[in-house]
């Protein structure tokens, strides 16, 4: 794994693109600048790594588009020390961004092959979140409650258990819709029985599987 002037240059223009699309949190832009996204790709795909696009990572899954990673992260308003549950570890790139912001990251992946691969790979890059394998549509009750929950796969509806596992004042960001398009939704748990809901644009994610997701 080698960073290079070329990769840094490409990364800089990626950050510029993400900024132009509306991301203004400098801490997030700094983390995109810092994390060598091409380490998550085969060598031949250096240029692809720095396009603002999702890309296949095997097992029919993708590494999310950098703008999408930045958008979901920005809406969660991550503070250092926040306990964050990420649903859909995938390549681990999003987990690295959360860790750069000082979060304590718990990340759960449904697919065993990706779980094994990323659990071995991420520590080699110096990132050590807590890894779990299982159905994240049920959250991760043993480590709840969370300050923030980030779902990186498209859900048919908002899983109740995720809302239950939020702290008071906690936030959940989740794309909800059909298999092609999902609306980004931000839920804030204002009090034990009061939620506030904000809706944003449409995105396109791979499906959230599992008991409160789509059937495989
Ligand atoms: N956050 C990832 C990254 O940075 O590369 C992007 C992941 S990809 C868009 C979505 C991931 O969610 C896939 O790896 C998929 O296997 C996983 N997934 C789907 N349903 C899941 C579930 N019920 N629990 C946990 N992970 C799930």
């Amino acid at each position: 794994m080698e960073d290079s002037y070329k990769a840094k240059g490409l990364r800089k223009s990626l950050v510029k693109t993400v900024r132009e699309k509306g991301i203004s949190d400098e801490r997030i832009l700094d983390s995109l600048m810092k994390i060598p996204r091409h380490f998550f790709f085969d060598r031949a795909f250096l240029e692809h790594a720095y396009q603002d696009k999702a890309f296949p990572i095997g097992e029919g899954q993708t590494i999310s588009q950098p703008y999408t990673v930045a958008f979901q992260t920005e809406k969660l308003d991550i503070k250092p020390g926040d306990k964050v549950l990420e649903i859909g570890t995938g390549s681990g790139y999003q987990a690295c961004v959360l860790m750069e912001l000082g979060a304590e990251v718990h990340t759960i992946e449904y697919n065993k092959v990706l779980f094994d691969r990323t659990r071995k790979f991420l520590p080699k890059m110096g990132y050590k979140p807590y890894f779990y394998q299982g159905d994240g549509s049920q959250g991760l009750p043993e480590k709840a409650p969370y300050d923030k929950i980030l779902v990186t796969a498209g859900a048919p509806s908002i899983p109740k258990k995720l809302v239950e596992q939020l702290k008071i004042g906690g936030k959940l960001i989740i794309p909800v819709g059909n298999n092609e398009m999902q609306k980004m939704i931000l839920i804030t748990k204002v009090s034990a029985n009061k939620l506030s809901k904000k809706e944003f644009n449409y995105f396109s994610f791979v499906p959230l599987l599992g008991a409160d997701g789509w059937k495989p």
Side-chain angles (χ1 to χ4, degrees):
M1 290 194 292
E2 192 194 319
D3 209 1
S4 63
Y5 281 117
K6 182 170 183 194
K8 282 188 188 130
L10 291 169
R11 204 144 70 233
K12 208 168 173 184
S13 68
L14 171 67
V15 170
K16 184 167 173 275
T17 303
V18 171
R19 187 193 292 279
E20 282 165 2
K21 288 183 177 174
I23 302 299
S24 59
D25 186 329
E26 294 299 332
R27 297 175 315 143
I28 296 174
L29 294 167
D30 285 351
S31 70
L32 297 192
M33 188 59 217
K34 188 168 171 198
I35 303 164
R37 192 167 183 260
H38 65 289
F39 287 3
F40 296 81
F41 290 61
D42 280 347
R43 261 172 180 273
F45 295 120
L46 177 66
E47 311 274 343
H48 289 268
Y50 293 112
Q51 286 169 7
D52 188 27
K53 286 187 179 154
F55 198 80
I57 54 170
E59 299 294 304
Q61 305 302 330
T62 54
I63 177 170
S64 298
Q65 181 182 347
Y67 169 71
T68 306
V69 170
F71 186 90
Q72 289 196 284
T73 309
E74 190 168 65
K75 293 300 170 222
L76 282 182
D77 189 22
I78 304 287
K79 304 269 190 281
D82 271 357
K83 188 182 192 183
V84 180
L85 174 63
E86 179 198 19
I87 295 158
T89 311
S91 68
Y93 181 75
Q94 170 77 73
C96 296
V97 171
L98 294 168
M99 293 194 83
E100 282 295 335
L101 300 179
E104 175 189 309
V105 180
H106 298 262
T107 182
I108 180 164
E109 173 57 52
Y110 201 53
N111 182 291
K112 177 88 170 68
V113 174
L114 292 178
F115 163 76
D116 282 334
R117 191 202 292 166
T118 301
R119 186 177 50 153
K120 284 185 197 131
F121 169 69
L122 234 50
K124 291 187 191 151
M125 282 189 65
Y127 295 98
K128 294 179 183 159
Y130 298 96
F131 293 101
Y132 307 85
Q133 201 246 321
D135 177 8
S137 77
Q138 305 302 289
L140 184 66
E142 60 267 39
K143 299 289 171 185
Y146 303 96
D147 295 292
K148 314 280 160 67
I149 300 180
L150 194 164
V151 183
T152 73
S157 57
I158 299 172
K160 248 198 196 138
K161 290 189 179 156
L162 299 189
V163 176
E164 283 168 12
Q165 290 172 31
L166 275 181
K167 289 185 190 172
I168 306 295
K171 292 177 192 292
L172 160 69
I173 189 124
I174 180 166
V176 178
N178 60 31
N179 265 335
E180 275 157 29
M181 300 282 275
Q182 307 89 28
K183 191 173 252 192
M184 194 66 81
I185 295 182
L186 178 70
I187 299 286
T188 304
K189 195 168 190 173
V190 181
S191 66
N193 42 25
K194 188 165 180 243
L195 304 176
S196 84
K197 183 178 176 188
K198 265 192 181 176
E199 296 189 2
F200 301 96
N201 277 345
Y202 284 91
F203 289 77
S204 181
F205 282 82
V206 294
L208 179 78
L209 304 176
D212 281 325
W214 301 94
K215 301 300 157 233

